[in-house]
Amino acid sequence: MKTGGADSFWGGIVKSMGLVFGDIGTSPIYTLTVIFALTRPTVDNILGILSLVFWTLTILVSAEYAWLAMNLGRKGEGGTIVLKEILVRLLKPGRKIAFVGFLSFLGVSLLLGDGVITPAISILSAVEGMVLIPGLENLSQGTLILIAAIIAVVLFIFQFLGTDKVAVAFGPIMVVWFAALTVSGIGSIVHAPSVVKAVNPYYAVNFLVENGIAGFFVLSEVILCATGGEALYADMGHLGRAPIVRAWYFVFVALLINYLGQGAFVITHPDAKNVLFEMVFSQARPLYIPFLVLSIMATVIASQAMISGMFSIVYQGIATRVMPMFRIDYTSRERQSQIYIGFVNWFLLIAVLFIMFEFQRSSNLAAAYGLAVTGTMTLTGFMMTWIFLRRGKYWHAAASSFVTVVNIAFLVSNTYKIPHGGFWSLIIAAIPFSMIMLFTRGQKKLYSALQPLPLDVFLLSYNQIYKAVNKISGTALFFAKDAKEIPPYVVHTMFKNNILYEDNIIVSIVRRDDPFGVTGYFKEELAPGLRSFEIQMGYMEIPDVEEILREADIREKTIFYGVEDITATNICWQAFSIIKKLTPNIVQFYDLPPNKLHGVVTRVEL
């Protein structure tokens, strides 16, 4: 993205606000409300907590993501899987690479686990602001949950249409939201200007020392101010590093001013229960309903960013062959990154609704929120430190080590949340983690059980049969992982059923280590009537395989592909068999013409 002109400079910042900062930008709705429900609102405590919030945003978002992680992109891409790809290239083959893979699987799963809570807590906390509207004071919590659930259902139902058309409005809406946070914060700071002292780390340290173990566990609520910070790095591929970092400086100032303003409001109104909404209500009562509507819109945008992020994470998992091939639909002709994964969408909706009805209130949700995201931040810090050390960047490694230690402190503090509902984010995270582990191990076992035939052995029989049998006119495609190892279904089709075309092409799809770029080309001719065609693509690409084949002037009559009929007595392999049956195979995944497809069944016993 060019950033030379004024339009692109400000345009990138506005887009970033809409697509990246929705989650962290809506944290002021509930963060201090939750903290002061557990902590006495004395002046010392307020200054201490505001200082903790300021330094948490500085260390865990500015330092960890904006300064350190975003210098570790690959061709502009970021995220846990990108860190894994960078680290793997710096290590020798062995157990260390397997360990890095395990860490990345854990990080992705934790992100998915906490991601479910984001729409639930954001939408529910905004809807709870309705009780301050005159005449709606007596709305029951059940009614508020129902309204929040309806908003969530509508949001998820319309995902299949894509966000391309409405996304243009996300940035301007979030600009208005951050402006409203800034103005309301300033409006309160003028009544208690002493809160600006909170930027001094003395108050944070003093709070922790004075409150001991109780103060340490308050960190588990302070982390709520930084949830969504990982989106700076994860979404880097959509907009580029520069616009996101520039936008973060504006967002950081808006958040800081609003948190200081909320602290000032609590000093003058120590009985406040819903701090942000009561502050705005007391400042500008006629503007309260527009602000409430704006807050609901902001939480919907935050939820939308999370959903799109989940689609991207799962697609990265599919592309790097650690997740099953869920069906993918493309919702935009202009932007291939706009995708829809039905299974993920409905899983998230069910989980979000369950979380809403299970926890009932946003304050209860906050008691569970943050555990998984601190786990992800800690893993990110650990992997970054390892990368900097391998590259000999010792000052960066020292800074990253400090950030990791801070992350560990937050993670230990968040273990307090496990018995208070935090176990649900771990249970939800365990679902994708179990699927990843089962799928990757199952694929390895399946590959060894199928025992592909080496190319040279295959060619001995192929050359004899090609000369002897009557060939079918036209071209047939056979999909294989690698043309040097022929899968059993190809052998079965050609040698046992004597189905041989005049022109037979073995198509292999190879994922490169870099995120972008697609090339399709013929390799050497393997034998008379047998050619090899390879499609190479970056792991973030969503290619049109049929178009690539047409560009290479391939006009196939038939497409053969392998179907594994898995039988197993072990319950794990039975579960793997069910996953394989429920998810599309390679030709369905790449949406090849169904009238040309012929599946060849191979029975496998695991």
Side-chain angles (χ1 to χ4, degrees):
M1 180 178 179
K2 294 178 182 178
T3 55
D7 289 344
S8 59
F9 179 90
W10 293 108
I13 290 172
V14 171
K15 282 184 181 178
S16 297
M17 287 186 178
L19 296 175
V20 178
F21 295 104
D23 189 358
I24 197 169
T26 51
S27 296
I29 295 174
Y30 48 80
T31 300
L32 292 189
T33 293
V34 170
I35 294 173
F36 289 120
L38 303 172
T39 309
R40 285 191 308 114
T42 64
V43 173
D44 285 343
N45 283 349
I46 291 168
L47 287 174
I49 285 164
L50 290 176
S51 187
L52 284 170
V53 167
F54 170 74
W55 287 104
T56 299
L57 288 172
T58 301
I59 296 170
L60 297 192
V61 185
S62 293
E64 180 169 7
Y65 288 105
W67 300 340
L68 292 171
M70 294 185 79
N71 284 312
L72 293 176
R74 291 201 64 200
K75 293 200 173 179
E77 276 296 317
T80 306
I81 290 179
V82 170
L83 283 179
K84 184 200 89 168
E85 296 290 338
I86 294 170
L87 195 48
V88 161
R89 293 168 73 92
L90 298 172
L91 299 172
K92 294 178 181 178
R95 289 184 178 178
K96 287 182 179 179
I97 287 181
F99 178 62
V100 170
F102 173 81
L103 290 181
S104 69
F105 299 160
L106 192 58
V108 166
S109 301
L110 288 171
L111 208 55
L112 289 166
D114 241 15
V116 167
I117 300 180
T118 297
I121 192 171
S122 299
I123 296 172
L124 189 55
S125 58
V127 168
E128 285 172 351
M130 292 175 66
V131 296
L132 292 176
I133 298 174
L136 301 180
E137 300 93 339
N138 298 319
L139 276 178
S140 68
Q141 190 64 27
T143 303
L144 295 174
I145 293 169
L146 183 61
I147 294 169
I150 290 170
I151 292 171
V153 168
V154 171
L155 174 65
F156 280 94
I157 283 177
F158 282 95
Q159 286 303 309
F160 75 95
L161 295 174
T163 58
D164 205 37
K165 294 180 178 63
V166 293
V168 291
F170 287 0
I173 291 170
M174 291 308 295
V175 168
V176 175
W177 169 250
F178 287 119
L181 291 181
T182 305
V183 171
S184 62
I186 293 170
S188 277
I189 291 172
V190 294
H191 296 294
S194 60
V195 292
V196 298
K197 294 188 296 184
V199 298
N200 187 336
Y202 163 79
Y203 293 99
V205 174
N206 184 62
F207 175 84
L208 294 173
V209 171
E210 290 293 324
N211 289 277
I213 192 70
F216 177 72
F217 284 120
V218 167
L219 291 178
S220 67
E221 308 302 342
V222 172
I223 191 64
L224 296 176
C225 74
T227 54
E230 67 281 357
L232 274 76
Y233 184 46
D235 292 340
M236 192 164 70
H238 295 295
L239 296 163
R241 179 182 183 275
I244 293 175
V245 172
R246 288 172 189 147
W248 167 240
Y249 294 133
F250 287 99
V251 171
F252 178 78
V253 170
L255 293 177
L256 176 61
I257 290 172
N258 190 261
Y259 281 123
L260 292 174
Q262 288 190 48
F265 182 76
V266 174
I267 289 175
T268 55
H269 300 78
D271 296 328
K273 302 296 181 194
N274 196 333
V275 182
L276 176 64
F277 289 117
E278 288 185 30
M279 180 174 79
V280 173
F281 187 77
S282 70
Q283 289 172 337
R285 194 166 298 190
L287 296 175
Y288 180 72
I289 292 178
F291 179 80
L292 181 63
V293 172
L294 178 64
S295 70
I296 292 173
M297 291 169 71
T299 56
V300 168
I301 290 170
S303 303
Q304 178 60 62
M306 184 281 300
I307 297 166
S308 300
M310 294 301 107
F311 290 161
S312 295
I313 288 170
V314 171
Y315 181 75
Q316 283 188 29
I318 293 169
T320 51
R321 293 195 175 101
V322 301
M323 286 186 180
M325 286 185 165
F326 300 115
R327 178 173 175 79
I328 292 177
D329 296 306
Y330 309 111
T331 59
S332 170
R333 291 183 180 181
E334 288 76 27
R335 293 180 62 191
Q336 282 197 310
S337 61
Q338 292 285 335
I339 58 174
Y340 169 77
I341 306 175
F343 174 84
V344 176
N345 189 62
W346 302 122
F347 170 78
L348 288 173
L349 174 59
I350 292 167
V352 166
L353 293 178
F354 170 78
I355 289 291
M356 279 184 180
F357 286 102
E358 170 69 19
F359 286 90
Q360 297 286 308
R361 296 177 182 276
S362 61
S363 56
N364 296 338
L365 265 167
Y369 195 29
L371 175 61
V373 81
T374 52
T376 303
M377 288 177 167
T378 303
L379 289 172
T380 298
F382 177 76
M383 292 171 79
M384 285 194 310
T385 304
W386 199 350
I387 291 168
F388 287 132
L389 284 172
R390 297 292 296 185
R391 288 181 170 178
K393 295 184 175 181
Y394 298 114
W395 284 109
H396 287 79
S400 185
S401 298
F402 172 72
V403 166
T404 306
V405 170
V406 174
N407 277 320
I408 291 169
F410 275 100
L411 181 60
V412 173
S413 174
N414 271 270
T415 58
Y416 171 77
K417 292 183 173 182
I418 293 175
H420 299 284
F423 62 88
W424 277 117
S425 62
L426 297 181
I427 289 172
I428 294 167
I431 295 172
F433 183 73
S434 301
M435 182 180 287
I436 290 170
M437 296 303 292
L438 180 62
F439 183 75
T440 51
R441 299 207 172 183
Q443 285 290 88
K444 285 180 182 177
K445 193 168 180 67
L446 182 62
Y447 184 74
S448 61
L450 285 171
Q451 294 180 333
L453 205 63
L455 179 62
D456 54 350
V457 177
F458 170 80
L459 289 177
L460 292 174
S461 300
Y462 171 83
N463 286 322
Q464 293 175 357
I465 290 177
Y466 191 79
K467 291 175 184 176
V469 303
N470 291 324
K471 292 170 280 295
I472 303 168
S473 64
T475 300
L477 303 184
F478 297 86
F479 278 82
K481 190 175 181 181
D482 187 344
K484 293 180 181 178
E485 295 184 322
I486 309 301
Y489 87 89
V490 179
V491 177
H492 188 86
T493 304
M494 291 184 176
F495 300 168
K496 291 188 178 179
N497 294 336
N498 287 340
I499 299 174
L500 212 61
Y501 280 70
E502 290 176 346
D503 184 26
N504 303 278
I505 302 175
I506 296 175
V507 180
S508 53
I509 298 175
V510 178
R511 289 282 172 183
R512 295 199 302 257
D513 288 339
D514 51 312
F516 296 109
V518 179
T519 54
Y521 57 95
F522 279 103
K523 300 181 83 175
E524 74 279 6
E525 188 169 325
L526 304 174
L530 184 65
R531 296 185 288 168
S532 169
F533 186 80
E534 184 169 288
I535 299 172
Q536 288 196 359
M537 60 184 70
Y539 60 81
M540 283 300 294
E541 287 288 356
I542 305 171
D544 187 336
V545 171
E546 194 176 1
E547 186 181 338
I548 295 167
L549 296 172
R550 295 295 160 270
E551 287 175 355
D553 200 29
I554 297 174
R555 299 287 186 270
E556 75 284 346
K557 184 183 283 186
T558 307
I559 301 172
F560 290 99
Y561 64 97
V563 179
E564 297 88 11
D565 180 19
I566 301 170
T567 60
T569 53
N570 182 297
I571 190 169
C572 291
W573 303 136
Q574 287 175 345
F576 174 69
S577 173
I578 292 169
I579 290 172
K580 290 288 286 184
K581 286 175 182 174
L582 292 177
T583 53
N585 53 51
I586 190 167
V587 291
Q588 293 168 325
F589 179 76
Y590 287 117
D591 206 20
L592 294 169
N595 59 314
K596 296 181 180 180
L597 301 180
H598 289 276
V600 181
V601 179
T602 304
R603 194 172 183 82
V604 183
E605 192 170 330
L606 294 182

